[in-house]
Amino acid sequence: MTAASRPMIEVSGVSKYFGSFRALSDISFTVNDGEKVVIIGPSGSGKSTILRAINCLETIDRGRITVGGMDISDPKTNICKVREEVGMVFQSFNLFPHKTVLENLTLAQTVVRKRSKKDAEQIAMELLHKVNIAEKADAYPAKLSGGQQQRVAIARSLAMNPKAILFDEPTSALDPEMIGEVLDVMKTLAIEGMTMVVVTHEMGFAREVADRVIFMDHGKIVEEGTPEHFFTAPSHERAKLFLSQIL
Amino acid sequence: MIRLALHLPMLNSQSSQNQIEVGDGAAIPHKSDAGLFTAWRIAFFGAIVLCLFLAFGRPDQYMAIFMFIPDGILVTFKVTVGAILLAIVFGLIAGLGRLSNNRFINGTASLYVEVIRGIPLLVQLFYIYYALGRFVKIPDILSAIIAMAFCYGAYMAEIFRAGIQSISKGQMEAALSLGMSRRQAMSEVILPQAFKVVLPPIGNEFIALLKDSSLVSILAVSDLLRRGREYASETFNYFETYTVIALIYLILTLFFSKLISLMEERLNDGR
Ligand SMILES: Nc1ncnc2c1ncn2[C@@H]1O[C@H](COP(=O)(O)OP(=O)(O)OP(=O)(O)O)[C@@H](O)[C@H]1O
Ligand SMILES: [Mg+2]
């Protein structure tokens, strides 16, 4: 992998409290343009919180996060603009149930990007083909399987032409037989050079796709390195223990 | 007759279909509730048959009453529909206000809801009616509609608030993460879903309002009840007149309950 040197997402010294509980403590990492970073760690270690913080869904108490050069903790920054540049895919899909698959993809394009309905629909159809679900364009999300819904959700975030996409356990809510179809779409994106930050328990995916693996525990980054290093010779006890439990 | 408290719509956390249950007992008949369904039929058709019987079986006493009051039905209808539409507007604004992060907006909306719900409807009607009359010259029926709507808006606000809160947080987050502003997310994603949820309780409010609209008869508004009083005070046929008035209210309420339950069924079949 060519490690492009331009930083896309920079997290430095970030701490986050929920009341007196410290969910993130002094987190720092950088994701360069085109890089794929996989975050793993036990439940409650702060993985979702850091992703949500990058997308401004969660405020931070200390530190700095910049996305594409924009400082998101600076009150002068237009948060909507930041979110336009960074897509997010949720564990629970969060498709809009009152809209068809096609409308799910066109809504933000027309409302936010101000594209014409026709352009938006054309882009939407191309993306639906890409994630292999074009035939369901006029269906409502409730009629789709979990795997199909998640592929639509990925297409929906792609429709905004994001510079990076954050995935929060995109396959955790899926039946085992549907995990593959979603991971395949994500692998395609990875090959095409999308900048990705993925929280997942799919270790096969991490090994295959990640440029870097970040292991979190109790709100801290415990270990960070290449997948080869992390999976074969993790240096920390907790990482070893976690791997022995999950593999 | 005057409701001092409406059981707040409860979030039904088990149901994935986002429905809120309302404890208020406006009897909207549902196919699943067989007992109520039968009761509805008996009451509705019984009332109609009784009206026909009185009008044609005892024409000398009753026909004149039936001829006298239709204007009143129209006024009752106008007040009810006008007030519910306006109450929806008030309720939506106040409901959104109650969810606002802005302290001032939130505080104002909460104050409105608390104050209004703490004062009996009849007292408010008098108060708003005469307060309005002091400052502006508007038709009686319009002041009555505004007064009713102002009161019902407070109950409606709680319905909208609960309806909006019943939409899962993920919906707002998904909309925001696509770059939508809060306002866009609310109008494009949250409210369209919330409207479906609040429709049944709003139906209940409509029925309650139809009944409470009889209170405007003490203002100078010639609704169904007032027309009845006018007729009775001329003819001294109090018993006959109020029998007819009661039957007509019953028929109206039952008719609209049915209509609303049919609408709900439609809506649920839709998707
Ligand atoms: N809104 C909140 N209020 C209070 N505590 C919270 C909130 N959100 C998260 N937490 C706590 O912060 C910690 C980190 O949560 P987070 O969701 O980031 O964990 P995670 O690593 O994503 O776990 P999982 O694998 O279960 O998704 C947890 O202990 C959680 O209970
Ligand atoms: Mg999580």
Side-chain angles (χ1 to χ4, degrees):
Chain A
M1 271 277 143
T2 53
S5 53
R6 204 158 62 91
M8 187 68 225
I9 298 168
E10 276 184 287
V11 176
S12 52
V14 168
S15 294
K16 162 79 186 171
Y17 291 82
F18 290 111
S20 61
F21 175 75
R22 187 156 68 176
L24 297 176
S25 66
D26 200 20
I27 300 280
S28 299
F29 64 91
T30 304
V31 183
N32 286 324
D33 202 0
E35 220 181 358
K36 297 109 197 51
V37 172
V38 167
I39 302 178
I40 58 181
S43 179
S45 55
K47 309 181 297 292
S48 298
T49 306
I50 188 62
L51 281 200
R52 292 163 56 79
I54 293 170
N55 214 5
C56 316
L57 293 173
E58 213 76 78
T59 56
I60 55 174
D61 297 306
R62 228 177 300 136
R64 218 167 89 103
I65 299 178
T66 62
V67 174
M70 296 180 276
D71 184 346
I72 65 171
S73 36
D74 182 346
K76 285 195 286 272
T77 306
N78 181 347
I79 297 301
C80 291
K81 271 273 169 296
V82 178
R83 293 198 185 112
E84 275 177 53
E85 307 302 334
V86 183
M88 178 130 182
V89 174
F90 301 87
Q91 181 175 352
S92 50
F93 329 133
N94 293 345
L95 293 180
F96 306 135
H98 62 302
K99 303 226 172 256
T100 63
V101 165
L102 188 69
E103 289 164 351
N104 262 275
L105 268 71
T106 55
L107 179 63
Q109 292 191 63
T110 51
V111 173
V112 179
R113 289 264 191 253
K114 309 287 181 212
R115 289 177 188 151
S116 71
K117 185 163 181 265
K118 194 162 152 277
D119 289 353
E121 283 180 354
Q122 195 189 336
I123 291 168
M125 284 313 297
E126 280 167 20
L127 289 169
L128 289 176
H129 276 291
K130 181 177 175 140
V131 300
N132 282 319
I133 195 146
E135 74 281 4
K136 298 281 187 193
D138 295 320
Y140 282 94
K143 296 275 187 293
L144 270 53
S145 73
Q148 292 174 324
Q149 289 191 48
Q150 195 59 297
R151 286 185 280 142
V152 172
I154 294 172
R156 178 175 71 175
S157 100
L158 286 173
M160 298 299 288
N161 308 103
K163 299 204 177 95
I165 304 189
L166 315 173
F167 295 82
D168 191 0
E169 303 199 33
T171 57
S172 294
L174 299 178
D175 292 337
E177 69 271 21
M178 293 172 189
I179 291 175
E181 64 194 49
V182 172
L183 291 181
D184 284 345
V185 168
M186 291 170 62
K187 284 174 197 164
T188 310
L189 288 183
I191 291 166
E192 289 171 0
M194 176 62 75
T195 310
M196 295 161 74
V197 182
V198 186
V199 171
T200 185
H201 294 298
E202 295 297 325
M203 295 304 143
F205 176 86
R207 261 180 214 247
E208 190 181 331
V209 174
D211 297 316
R212 210 142 35 90
V213 173
I214 292 174
F215 176 74
M216 286 179 70
D217 195 15
H218 291 110
K220 292 197 185 75
I221 293 181
V222 174
E223 184 144 358
E224 181 172 359
T226 63
E228 300 83 63
H229 166 78
F230 181 77
F231 287 109
T232 50
S235 27
H236 287 80
E237 273 314 308
R238 271 186 280 176
K240 276 179 203 159
L241 185 67
F242 178 77
L243 284 175
S244 71
Q245 280 164 352
I246 203 157
L247 291 178
Chain B
M1 190 155 52
I2 303 161
R3 297 166 321 139
L4 280 173
L6 167 127
H7 295 270
L8 276 189
M10 289 307 204
L11 299 190
N12 184 352
S13 53
Q14 268 111 9
S15 153
S16 56
Q17 270 198 311
N18 272 335
Q19 289 188 336
I20 48 184
E21 287 171 24
V22 173
D24 203 27
I28 293 188
H30 225 272
K31 282 229 175 74
S32 56
D33 188 345
L36 196 57
F37 193 61
T38 318
W40 180 87
R41 280 197 204 164
I42 293 172
F44 184 67
F45 293 110
I48 288 178
V49 169
L50 194 55
C51 279
L52 292 174
F53 170 76
L54 291 174
F56 296 103
R58 303 268 186 78
D60 41 331
Q61 286 157 8
Y62 285 95
M63 204 47 159
I65 307 177
F66 282 107
M67 304 298 281
F68 192 80
I69 52 175
D71 313 2
I73 300 181
L74 195 68
V75 171
T76 288
F77 196 68
K78 269 190 201 162
V79 170
T80 307
V81 172
I84 196 89
L85 292 179
L86 199 55
I88 288 173
V89 175
F90 287 158
L92 184 56
I93 294 171
L96 286 171
R98 294 262 287 153
L99 294 168
S100 167
N101 291 329
N102 181 312
R103 269 202 180 168
F104 177 73
I105 295 174
N106 196 316
T108 311
S110 304
L111 195 67
Y112 164 62
V113 171
E114 284 309 312
V115 168
I116 292 293
R117 291 199 308 173
I119 301 173
L121 177 54
L122 187 55
V123 176
Q124 284 180 55
L125 275 183
F126 274 129
Y127 188 80
I128 298 174
Y129 182 80
Y130 289 111
L132 274 176
R134 251 185 127 129
F135 300 114
V136 283
K137 191 87 202 92
I138 51 173
D140 289 334
I141 183 164
L142 195 58
S143 341
I145 288 176
I146 293 173
M148 294 286 289
F150 201 67
C151 169
Y152 266 73
Y155 294 91
M156 212 68 100
E158 290 303 275
I159 294 178
F160 274 109
R161 186 176 64 100
I164 291 167
Q165 282 179 330
S166 78
I167 306 303
S168 89
K169 268 195 160 169
Q171 290 291 308
M172 175 57 94
E173 292 183 349
L176 292 180
S177 78
L178 289 166
M180 286 188 221
S181 66
R182 254 174 202 283
R183 181 175 296 214
Q184 288 168 337
M186 193 47 92
S187 66
E188 301 287 340
V189 176
I190 308 297
L191 285 181
Q193 294 181 61
F195 269 117
K196 241 181 103 171
V197 182
V198 299
L199 212 73
I202 286 182
N204 278 330
E205 290 297 288
F206 179 83
I207 301 296
L209 208 152
L210 177 62
K211 290 184 285 184
D212 280 351
S213 77
S214 62
L215 292 173
V216 304
S217 67
I218 48 158
L219 311 175
V221 178
S222 292
D223 76 328
L224 179 52
L225 180 57
R226 194 180 175 94
R227 288 295 281 171
R229 270 167 56 198
E230 285 166 11
Y231 181 83
S233 61
E234 275 171 32
T235 60
F236 301 106
N237 290 338
Y238 286 101
F239 174 73
E240 291 79 2
T241 309
Y242 288 122
T243 305
V244 172
I245 298 291
L247 284 173
I248 291 180
Y249 271 115
L250 183 61
I251 292 171
L252 286 177
T253 337
L254 291 172
F255 173 78
F256 283 109
S257 304
K258 184 69 184 172
L259 203 68
I260 289 163
S261 86
L262 286 177
M263 250 167 58
E264 276 169 31
E265 264 165 45
R266 264 276 171 78
L267 211 75
N268 287 337
D269 291 348
R271 273 162 223 169

